[in-house]
C-alpha cells in the first residue's frame, strides 16, 4: 500500500545571495524548508550532501510565478548537482527525510563563478583535487556549432562527475570520469562546465580532461583500416 501525508509549506527561512550557503539537517522525520535565492549574472547553485542514496532529499527551484525551473536529488554517492539559472530571484524548496539511521545534512551553495577559467575545445586541463570535495567551474564560448565529447585523459585517486549547462541554466550534458558519453551537438553560445571531484587523500590526487571537438577527428572512409590504442 502507498502511505503519504501532506506537509504545510513553511515560511521562507532565509535569503541566500552570492557567496552564501545553507545546510539542512536530515533526520528520520521529514523536513520541508524554503529559501529565497538571489542569483546574479555570475552565480551558480550547487547542491551536495553528507548522506547516502537511501535518503530522500530533493530540491526544487521555482520562479516568481511558481513554475518549477529545475529539480533534483541530494546524493553523496553521485556528487554535487549544479544549476546555472539566469539572474533573478527564485524560491528553493528542500524536502528531506532519511531512512533508518542514515542521517546527515544537505548543503546549498550560491557560488560566485566570475573567476571561472576559460576553456577551449581540445584543450587538455589539469585539476588538482584535495579533500574535502570541491566543485570547479570553467567557461566555454563556442563561435559555431560543434559536436563534442568529454574525455578523461587521466584520473588519479579521483571520483566525481561533470555537468555542462548553457546560458539559460539548462543542463545539456553530464557524466562521470569513468564512462564514455555520447557526442553532444552544441549551438554557438556560452556554456559553463562544472567539475565536481573528490580525492582519496588531502594531496596528490588529480584529473586531466578535455572537451574534444569531433570535427577535429580524423576522417574514416569505407574500406580504410585504422588502429585504436
Amino acid at each position: 500500500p502507498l502511505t503519504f501525508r501532506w506537509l504545510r509549506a513553511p515560511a521562507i527561512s532565509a535569503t541566500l545571495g552570492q557567496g552564501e550557503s545553507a545546510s539542512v539537517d536530515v533526520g528520520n522525520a521529514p523536513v520541508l524548508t524554503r529559501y529565497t535565492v538571489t542569483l546574479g549574472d555570475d552565480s551558480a547553485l550547487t547542491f551536495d550532501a553528507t548522506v547516502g542514496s537511501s535518503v530522500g532529499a530533493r530540491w526544487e527551484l521555482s520562479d516568481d510565478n511558481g513554475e518549477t525551473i529545475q529539480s533534483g536529488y541530494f546524493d553523496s554517492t553521485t556528487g554535487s548537482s549544479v544549476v546555472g539559472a539566469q539572474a533573478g530571484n527564485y524560491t528553493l524548496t528542500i524536502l528531506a527525510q532519511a531512512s533508518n539511521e542514515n542521517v546527515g545534512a544537505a548543503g546549498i551553495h550560491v557560488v560566485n563563478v566570475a573567476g571561472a577559467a576559460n576553456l577551449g575545445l581540445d584543450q587538455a586541463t589539469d585539476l588538482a583535487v584535495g579533500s574535502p570535495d570541491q566543485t570547479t567551474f570553467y567557461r566555454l564560448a563556442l563561435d559555431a556549432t560543434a559536436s563534442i565529447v568529454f574525455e578523461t585523459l587521466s584520473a588519479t585517486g579521483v571520483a566525481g562527475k561533470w555537468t555542462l549547462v548553457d546560458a539559460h541554466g539548462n543542463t545539456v550534458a553530464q557524466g562521470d570520469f569513468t564512462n564514455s558519453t555520447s557526442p553532444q551537438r552544441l549551438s554557438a553560445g556560452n556554456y559553463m562546465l562544472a567539475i565536481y571531484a573528490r580525492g582519496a587523500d588531502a594531496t596528490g590526487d588529480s584529473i586531466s580532461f578535455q572537451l574534444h571537438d569531433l570535427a577535429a577527428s580524423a576522417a574514416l572512409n569505407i574500406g580504410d583500416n585504422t588502429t585504436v590504442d
Side-chain angles (χ1 to χ4, degrees):
L2 174 64
T3 302
F4 67 93
R5 62 174 169 172
W6 294 99
L7 294 177
R8 183 185 300 276
I12 299 296
S13 61
T15 297
L16 300 178
Q18 189 87 296
E20 296 182 323
S21 298
S23 180
V24 178
D25 291 331
V26 180
N28 291 326
V31 176
L32 185 63
T33 309
R34 294 201 302 162
Y35 298 92
T36 294
V37 177
T38 300
L39 299 181
D41 291 331
D42 293 316
S43 297
L45 268 175
T46 68
F47 302 94
D48 53 41
T50 59
V51 290
S53 58
S54 62
V55 175
R58 178 179 175 85
W59 57 266
E60 182 176 281
L61 191 69
S62 56
D63 61 16
D64 289 339
N65 297 320
E67 296 184 5
T68 300
I69 302 300
Q70 293 193 47
S71 62
Y73 290 91
F74 295 89
D75 188 349
S76 62
T77 61
T78 59
S80 175
S81 298
V82 176
V83 175
Q86 291 182 300
N89 294 319
Y90 299 88
T91 297
L92 177 65
T93 302
I94 310 296
L95 175 60
Q97 181 177 7
S99 60
N100 300 323
E101 299 302 321
N102 191 9
V103 298
I108 308 110
H109 315 279
V110 184
V111 184
N112 186 342
V113 296
N118 293 321
L119 189 68
L121 296 180
D122 292 303
Q123 173 187 328
T125 301
D126 298 322
L127 176 63
V129 179
S131 180
D133 307 352
Q134 67 186 56
T135 302
T136 306
F137 295 88
Y138 299 88
R139 296 185 186 277
L140 173 67
L142 295 180
D143 296 328
T145 299
S147 293
I148 68 168
V149 292
F150 182 96
E151 293 184 341
T152 301
L153 303 178
S154 65
T156 304
V158 176
K161 70 177 183 181
W162 57 270
T163 304
L164 186 67
V165 299
D166 64 17
H168 303 290
N170 300 310
T171 298
V172 295
Q174 60 184 349
D176 57 32
F177 304 145
T178 57
N179 298 310
S180 59
T181 58
S182 301
Q184 300 293 325
R185 186 169 179 82
L186 304 179
S187 302
N190 297 317
Y191 297 85
M192 182 173 64
L193 176 68
I195 301 292
Y196 169 82
R198 54 182 179 270
D201 302 310
T203 59
D205 297 330
S206 64
I207 181 174
S208 180
F209 66 91
Q210 69 177 10
L211 294 177
H212 175 52
D213 182 5
L214 293 179
S217 302
L220 185 64
N221 299 313
I222 296 177
D224 290 348
N225 293 321
T226 187
T227 301
V228 179
D229 295 331

